[in-house]
Amino acid sequence: MLIRHGEAREFDFHGLRVADYGATCEGTASVATVEVPAGGRHRFAYSSRCEKLYFVTGGTVQFDVDGVVYKAGPGDLVVVPRGDVFRYANWWDESAKMLLVHVPAFDPAAEHVLPNEIRLHDVHVRGKRIALRPMTENDWEHVLAWNADPEVLVWSDDTTEIRPEEDTKDIYRSVSRFAFVFIIEDEGEPIGECWLQKMNLPEIIEQFPGKDLRRIDIMIGRKDVWGQGLGSDAIKALVAFGFEQDGADGIFTLVSPKNLRSQRAFRKAGFRQAPLEWRGEVALAVWREMSG
Ligand SMILES: CC(C)(COP(=O)(O)OP(=O)(O)OC[C@H]1O[C@@H](n2cnc3c(N)ncnc32)[C@H](O)[C@@H]1OP(=O)(O)O)[C@@H](O)C(=O)NCCC(=O)NCCS
């Protein structure tokens, strides 16, 4: 049997160019090609029927599969198991191409695209002074303002360049799929944000097989309250939640070597230097057996 290029059904899927060769082998598989233009992305989704195999034939694509991030280039194969929440994006300048195999054959009725908004949760945590409450889509006013302050960004992101608002929203929305994302409040007023996220870096996960690892990222957007103990209070509250209620074995953070205030705040919450490096960042970790 030969299915010619011209016979594939071509269509646009949210900016991705798909050519579907249809079901083969009596429906046990189907094949398509996907072109992901520069800046193109597939929304978070999952299939209740199919395993998906993406074979990259050109360019680079960043995948997020069940909360773990992979950068895939030509010749790499990304496997998305049935039921796993995933997305992919091409953050690079060159268009990317992939061969996609669905096992069994693709069925649109089994594909579920998730809402493009912050995942809600109902966890509330109290520190000595601060309170952590779920971040929602109603918090953009504060969160976008903090992310538009170069004096904050230079510490949180090592840049003073302000991202477009939609890109900032995309970060919180996508992280929230695999994290508890919080607003930090002091006396009822929002002063910052933080999250406890499933560890997303394969380089770190591989070094600790069988361990349930998480990471914390934090930003106190109100720079007038830096250095008053609120950051370490929030970190301690997140660590207690992670170990006592959410089953974490180890919690990491990655900090710029220049960010001594942040390193100190994490050390005050029990974090110590981890025996690894990640792209020039200082990796600090706290382990369940060390905490308390
Ligand atoms: C990092 C951050 C969360 C820490 O919160 P915070 O409330 O300021 O921290 P704390 O007051 O709990 O602890 C800070 C500690 O660092 C110390 N510190 C402040 N500036 C310092 C410096 N330049 N060098 C060394 N220590 C410093 C403080 O004295 C304090 O230690 P102490 O209590 O022993 O005196 C907050 O400052 C922040 O959000 N900054 C901007 C964004 C950012 O850096 N995010 C983290 C990215 S990894």
Side-chain angles (χ1 to χ4, degrees):
M1 177 183 183
L2 172 68
I3 305 172
R4 293 201 183 274
H5 181 232
E7 293 172 50
R9 192 173 64 88
E10 293 195 9
F11 60 96
D12 181 284
F13 179 76
H14 300 287
L16 312 176
R17 289 189 48 209
V18 181
D20 180 15
Y21 286 76
T24 56
C25 308
E26 296 176 343
T28 55
S30 65
V31 174
T33 59
V34 184
E35 187 177 339
V36 194
R41 60 188 87 162
H42 188 292
R43 287 256 302 272
F44 276 101
Y46 69 94
S47 172
S48 47
R49 170 181 153 97
C50 298
E51 183 159 52
K52 295 164 187 274
L53 308 168
Y54 289 91
F55 182 78
V56 181
T57 54
T60 309
V61 185
Q62 181 180 299
F63 275 81
D64 185 331
V65 183
D66 195 27
V68 182
V69 172
Y70 304 97
K71 185 175 161 188
D76 292 338
L77 178 71
V78 180
V79 179
V80 181
R82 177 163 55 104
D84 274 11
V85 171
F86 77 103
R87 85 153 176 186
Y88 56 81
N90 176 1
W91 306 119
W92 293 270
D93 295 334
E94 185 197 345
S95 170
K97 289 192 172 137
M98 300 190 285
L99 179 74
L100 166 59
V101 179
H102 281 95
V103 182
F106 180 73
D107 174 2
E111 300 297 312
H112 309 275
V113 177
L114 300 178
N116 188 26
E117 55 194 39
I118 294 179
R119 182 187 69 88
L120 292 177
H121 64 84
D122 59 2
V123 177
H124 292 253
V125 187
R126 283 211 71 87
K128 275 209 171 77
R129 193 170 140 187
I130 58 82
L132 306 181
R133 59 136 176 104
M135 183 190 287
T136 73
E137 292 280 324
N138 296 326
D139 288 310
W140 291 129
E141 181 193 342
H142 296 294
V143 175
L144 292 176
W146 300 330
N147 277 278
D149 183 341
E151 289 178 56
V152 177
L153 279 185
V154 74
W155 296 111
S156 60
D157 291 32
D158 214 5
T159 176
T160 50
E161 213 170 289
I162 298 163
R163 265 183 247 102
E165 289 191 350
E166 276 312 305
D167 290 2
T168 298
K169 289 181 179 177
D170 185 67
I171 291 173
Y172 290 94
R173 287 170 176 159
S174 54
V175 165
S176 75
R177 287 278 143 225
F178 302 99
F180 294 93
V181 181
F182 296 97
I183 290 289
I184 308 170
E185 289 186 340
D186 178 33
E187 295 176 349
E189 285 298 314
I191 59 160
E193 50 78 355
C194 61
W195 61 62
L196 182 72
Q197 179 188 7
K198 178 176 172 178
M199 173 53 74
N200 60 344
L201 305 171
E203 300 92 326
I204 295 184
I205 296 169
E206 282 158 14
Q207 294 193 37
F208 302 94
K211 295 284 186 197
D212 180 342
L213 304 183
R214 313 298 175 86
R215 64 180 283 179
I216 289 178
D217 290 81
I218 181 166
M219 169 199 279
I220 299 211
R222 281 263 312 274
K223 49 191 187 249
D224 56 304
V225 300
W226 289 352
Q228 297 180 11
L230 301 177
S232 47
D233 191 18
I235 297 164
K236 283 178 197 163
L238 271 185
V239 167
F241 165 66
F243 288 143
E244 291 163 22
Q245 293 178 53
D246 206 39
D249 294 318
I251 305 177
F252 284 72
T253 193
L254 298 158
V255 189
S256 156
K258 287 183 278 185
N259 197 343
L260 300 178
R261 186 192 299 108
S262 180
Q263 290 182 41
R264 174 82 189 124
F266 276 95
R267 284 181 184 277
K268 276 164 62 184
F271 284 69
R272 296 293 174 262
Q273 179 102 34
L276 56 94
E277 227 213 30
W278 192 79
R279 300 190 189 167
E281 303 271 88
V282 179
L284 301 173
V286 62
W287 297 91
R288 176 195 288 279
E289 55 271 22
M290 272 163 58
S291 81

